[in-house]
Amino acid sequence: MPEITVIRGRRIAGGAAEGEALVADAMLSFWGEVDPVKGTVIAVGHPLEGCALRGKVLVIRSTKGSSATPMVLGLCKLENNAPAAFVNVEADCLAALGCIVHGVPMVADLDQDPFALIRTGDFIRVNADEGTVEITRRG
Amino acid sequence: MELTSDQLSVLAGGRGPYLARALRWIVEWGDVMGAKRLVRCTNTHALMPVANTLARGASAATLAQQAEELREACQHPTAPGCLCTVHTLFLTMDPLDVPQNDPVQIEVQRGIAELATRSGFLPTFTCAPYLTGNVPLKGEVCAWTESSAVVYANSILGARTTRHGTESAMAASLLGLVPEFGVLLDENRKGTLRVEVTAALTCPSDWGALGYVAGAAAGLGIPVFHGTPRPSQDDAKQLCAALATGGGVTMCHIAGVTPEAPTLADAFHGDVPSEALQFTPETLRQAYLSLRNHTGDEIDTVILGCPHASIQEIAEIAALLRGRHVADGVALWVNTARPTRALAESMGIAQQIAAAGGRVLCDTCPTNMRIPARRLVTHGFKQAHYSRGMIGAEVIVARTAACVRAALAGKWCGDE
């Protein structure tokens, strides 16, 4: 049996989802730093530059930057390019709004450091209603 | 969150399904952000975007759904419930043939802009509403989109707005209500990061450099600047835009300048941290270098007016261009709001810019319109930061005078 680690956080937007982790100890603006049509991070020099978001559990410090972040998350959703869930250290009000309105589960205010425990490619189950993030190590 | 009987009735559908849904969004949002109640909001600045995605391969269904949401909001009987200025569009309302924009998208965005205007939204179409008459007073509760304008409203004007998305700003404009969390509350307006400024700040772009560095360091916090000279309105505009680009800043204080920071101690509510980020002449130099990724000196685009240019900035640009002409093959854009351009036209300075080969662009900016550029020079740290990814351009951020020199020469000539 693979080892499973569980970290706990606070429900920001309800629901449950699972997918591969995409991890960066960084902030990200959706407008201007994510292309909702290509579904990739386009921020030059960002640790996630070039990465596809579709179906991923996005483990970052928080969103930042543009107030069009919720709108771009909505466009990602309509284009089937949205992350499956957000696992963020801090609950930025723009990620919170975008996830609530556009139906993406989100957990923040975690009880452990996600960057020490989660690596890109790990399999993650997020149950935002329960506030749990279940990590199965891959590779 | 505690709701009044009126608010519960709206939630239950007493004023129709649209308002019930809008209220449900802002109640749920407020709950997770720590709000205990909804409060009256009298001033909104809302984004009504039809982003230029169709030409880049997005589905027609995406455009249709986004447009339908906006039409529904604009046509709602309570729209606008309170003063609402409209943010920049993704096109100019002027006739301008831009092959990168899909004609269907253009038609839909124009239609929504016109519908919003007929419904009583104020068609400012600007990212700097405080330059076109939307100037909230100290303490006024607002719901603004546009990250740079949010920082300006809170920090420079002393108004109170959390960072809003188009969804919550439209809800607030219809309902006249916002959840009371974050900087709406006194205790959350306390500084979190002390920034000691020893660099000489000599122009708006220098203030942009300060904001870009401090924003990245502050994250979602509130930087407090100490040791700066008194900024001009244009300096403050660049500072606020860059703070919200480098990080997720909602407000800042400038000790001795901004309304809630007569002193450094006031900015920190008496609790001044001993540690400080040092913004030295070398930090300033490095900030400019961090947004210069050019591999050659030939340029094809110069973008001024990010955020939208003030009348003073347009006058300065016109003076720098007087009697000269932009180099062949170079597009010089000066972005501003329509009322500001009208003033510039009445002064003859918009015509001077046009005679020199520049273009005064209203309602939007070239990056929002996705006008391609290979290598661009701009005085805006926000513009430089985002245009690298959004239009794939190499960028050079520089002071206004150096930007204009580059436009005239057709190549980057250095800072001095």
Side-chain angles (χ1 to χ4, degrees):
Chain A
M1 285 288 286
E3 193 190 332
I4 292 177
T5 310
V6 178
I7 61 179
R8 292 179 180 281
R10 193 161 72 82
R11 175 185 70 89
I12 303 298
E18 55 186 46
E20 270 188 20
L22 183 63
V23 185
D25 184 357
M27 301 173 88
L28 182 67
S29 172
F30 267 56
W31 182 88
E33 295 190 345
V34 169
D35 184 326
V37 181
K38 283 195 245 162
T40 53
V41 175
I42 55 170
V44 171
H46 193 281
L48 298 180
E49 183 180 357
C51 293
L53 296 177
R54 176 194 287 190
K56 298 289 168 59
V57 173
L58 184 61
V59 184
I60 55 172
R61 188 150 290 279
S62 72
T63 49
K64 70 161 177 116
S66 171
S67 59
T69 281
M71 177 200 86
V72 174
L73 180 59
L75 288 174
C76 287
K77 187 89 181 176
L78 289 170
E79 287 291 304
N80 198 25
N81 279 328
F86 280 59
V87 174
N88 289 182
V89 175
E90 287 183 87
D92 175 27
C93 65
L94 290 175
L97 178 68
C99 287
I100 287 167
V101 171
H102 301 294
V104 178
M106 175 173 175
V107 173
D109 302 342
L110 310 164
D111 68 351
Q112 294 177 73
D113 176 6
F115 307 118
L117 293 171
I118 309 176
R119 283 188 292 215
T120 290
D122 287 350
F123 180 75
I124 309 289
R125 273 204 180 96
V126 177
N127 185 331
D129 298 320
E130 303 286 328
T132 56
V133 178
E134 200 182 282
I135 308 152
T136 307
R137 180 72 87 209
R138 289 260 176 88
Chain B
M1 188 188 301
E2 264 189 49
L3 299 175
T4 66
S5 55
D6 277 358
Q7 292 161 2
L8 287 168
S9 146
V10 174
L11 261 190
R15 287 171 69 198
Y18 190 85
L19 282 193
R21 189 179 63 155
L23 187 54
R24 198 162 58 243
W25 284 347
I26 64 169
V27 167
E28 195 178 332
W29 186 43
D31 268 332
V32 300
M33 297 311 298
K36 299 221 169 14
R37 58 177 187 158
L38 299 171
V39 290
R40 295 302 306 171
C41 151
T42 49
N43 182 321
T44 55
H45 183 66
L47 181 59
M48 295 194 191
V50 181
N52 180 16
T53 50
L54 208 54
R56 292 180 292 127
S59 74
T62 294
L63 174 69
Q65 172 135 5
Q66 211 201 354
E68 194 43 45
E69 291 267 339
L70 290 167
R71 284 196 199 98
E72 208 179 345
C74 290
Q75 286 174 316
H76 196 275
T78 64
C82 63
L83 182 146
C84 185
T85 46
V86 182
H87 196 355
T88 47
L89 303 173
F90 284 72
L91 54 79
T92 170
M93 296 296 271
D94 293 332
L96 176 67
D97 189 22
V98 177
Q100 288 72 32
N101 275 19
D102 183 276
V104 174
Q105 196 118 26
I106 290 173
E107 192 187 323
V108 171
Q109 175 72 95
R110 272 180 193 278
I112 284 167
E114 286 160 7
L115 179 62
T117 305
R118 284 200 300 278
S119 303
F121 294 88
L122 302 174
T124 45
F125 305 142
T126 183
C127 50
Y130 46 88
L131 295 181
T132 57
N134 189 352
V135 187
L137 299 189
K138 184 166 187 280
E140 184 168 357
V141 174
C142 305
W144 279 21
T145 57
E146 175 49 37
S147 55
S148 67
V150 165
V151 180
Y152 194 98
N154 281 304
S155 317
I156 309 300
L157 304 177
R160 298 191 173 205
T161 174
T162 60
R163 286 149 65 236
H164 278 262
T166 185
E167 300 85 346
S168 60
M170 288 301 284
S173 84
L174 299 181
L175 292 158
L177 293 170
V178 286
E180 190 181 41
F181 70 85
V183 295
L184 266 52
L185 297 160
D186 290 343
E187 62 268 29
N188 299 328
R189 297 175 75 84
K190 175 180 169 178
T192 62
L193 172 72
R194 177 175 163 188
V195 185
E196 288 292 334
V197 181
T198 54
L201 306 176
T202 59
C203 67
S205 299
D206 287 356
W207 285 83
L210 173 63
Y212 195 59
V213 171
L220 298 176
I222 300 180
V224 176
F225 302 104
H226 187 237
T228 72
R230 176 168 284 274
S232 69
Q233 185 184 53
D234 294 328
D235 294 333
K237 178 160 66 84
Q238 287 301 334
L239 172 71
C240 294
L243 279 169
T245 303
V249 169
T250 306
M251 75 176 293
C252 71
H253 298 285
I254 306 170
V257 174
T258 51
E260 292 165 55
T263 67
L264 185 65
D266 292 322
F268 285 104
H269 297 192
D271 188 15
V272 180
S274 52
E275 301 263 302
L277 174 71
Q278 303 293 326
F279 191 82
T280 65
E282 181 57 17
T283 328
L284 175 64
R285 201 178 70 85
Q286 289 298 333
Y288 278 99
L289 294 180
S290 74
L291 281 176
R292 291 180 179 177
N293 65 347
H294 55 299
T295 57
D297 288 334
E298 302 299 312
I299 59 144
D300 62 347
T301 302
V302 175
I303 301 180
L304 303 173
C306 173
H308 275 175
S310 68
I311 191 65
Q312 301 94 302
E313 287 178 298
I314 296 176
E316 284 164 26
I317 295 160
L320 289 165
L321 288 168
R322 191 170 299 138
R324 299 172 179 179
H325 202 276
V326 170
D328 285 347
V330 173
L332 167 65
W333 300 97
V334 181
N335 317 315
T336 193
R338 196 162 285 274
T340 311
R341 185 173 69 177
L343 180 55
E345 282 167 348
S346 77
M347 295 162 66
I349 53 178
Q351 293 86 332
Q352 282 174 22
I353 291 171
R359 172 143 203 155
V360 182
L361 180 69
C362 291
D363 315 319
T364 187
C365 71
T367 305
N368 253 354
M369 292 181 76
R370 303 281 182 154
I371 296 174
R374 286 191 313 280
R375 189 174 296 139
L376 72 82
V377 185
T378 178
H379 63 183
F381 274 75
K382 179 180 184 180
Q383 180 73 236
H385 176 92
Y386 287 119
S387 21
R388 295 175 304 175
M390 287 180 75
I391 55 172
E394 291 186 5
V395 301
I396 301 167
V397 68
R399 299 178 176 107
T400 304
C403 293
V404 172
R405 269 199 306 276
L408 295 169
K411 62 178 188 170
W412 172 239
C413 310
D415 288 300
E416 300 304 331

